[in-house]
Amino acid sequence: MLKNWKKFLRKKMPDLEVSIFNQKLKLSYEEDEKERLLKAVETLNNNWNKFSYLHGKVSDLKIATLISLELQDSIGNIQALKDRLDIKETDNELLKKEIKLTKKESEESINTIKKIKLELNNKTDEVSKLEYALEEFHSELMQIKNNILKKNHE
C-alpha cells in the first residue's frame, strides 16, 4: 500500500500559468483536466469582465463575492435541473416497465384470442359437418316418406 502512495507523491503534475481576476497564478493540474481548468478560468474571467463597471468603485473582494454568489446560484440551478432530470429518468424507467407489462398483457390477450378463434373455427367446422349430416338425413327421410306414400297409393 505504501508503494502506491510513493508513486502518487513522485508523480509530477504539469503547471499552467493563468490570469484570474487580473492576477497571475501558477496552477498544477492533471493531464486530462487541462481543458476543464482552462474553461473554468475563462468563465471566471468572463464574470470578472461582466462586473467591470464596478472596478474602482468597490473592492475586488466585493466583486469576487458577487461572482461567487452568481456562480453558486448557477450551481444550485444546475443541481435543481439534475434533480429534475433524475426524476424524469425514474419516470421514464417506470413508463418502460409499464409499457413492457402492457405489451406482455397484450401478447397474452392476442394469444388467447388466437386460441378462441381456432376453437371457434373448429366448432364452425363441426357445425357445418352436422348441418351436412342433418341435410343428408333429411334427404333420406324424405325419400323414405316418398317411398311409403308411393307404396300406399299403389
Side-chain angles (χ1 to χ4, degrees), residues 74-84 86:
S74 296
I75 291 170
N77 289 339
I78 290 169
Q79 185 59 46
L81 288 172
K82 185 182 176 297
D83 292 344
R84 285 178 49 202
D86 289 344

Side-chain angles (χ1 to χ4, degrees), residues 20-23 44 47-49 51-68:
I20 300 175
F21 304 155
N22 294 326
Q23 300 288 321
L44 287 173
N47 282 314
W48 179 260
N49 292 333
F51 290 101
S52 64
Y53 66 94
L54 294 175
H55 295 175
K57 297 178 184 172
V58 297
S59 70
D60 288 351
L61 179 60
K62 285 184 180 178
I63 295 173
T65 302
L66 289 172
I67 292 170
S68 296

Side-chain angles (χ1 to χ4, degrees), residues 85-140:
L85 180 62
D86 289 344
I87 290 169
K88 295 290 183 187
E89 286 174 349
T90 301
D91 288 349
N92 192 26
E93 288 303 314
L94 289 173
L95 285 173
K96 282 181 181 179
K97 287 179 183 177
E98 190 175 325
I99 288 169
K100 194 174 186 177
L101 179 64
T102 302
K103 182 181 176 187
K104 182 180 177 187
E105 289 172 351
S106 295
E107 288 171 352
E108 288 172 357
S109 294
I110 288 170
N111 287 336
T112 301
I113 289 170
K114 285 179 180 179
K115 287 177 185 175
I116 291 171
K117 187 176 177 184
L118 183 63
E119 263 185 59
L120 182 62
N121 286 339
N122 289 340
K123 295 295 180 188
T124 302
D125 287 346
E126 286 179 28
V127 167
S128 293
K129 289 175 184 176
L130 285 173
E131 283 178 340
Y132 180 74
L134 283 173
E135 284 177 13
E136 281 193 1
F137 182 69
H138 178 70
S139 180
E140 286 179 24

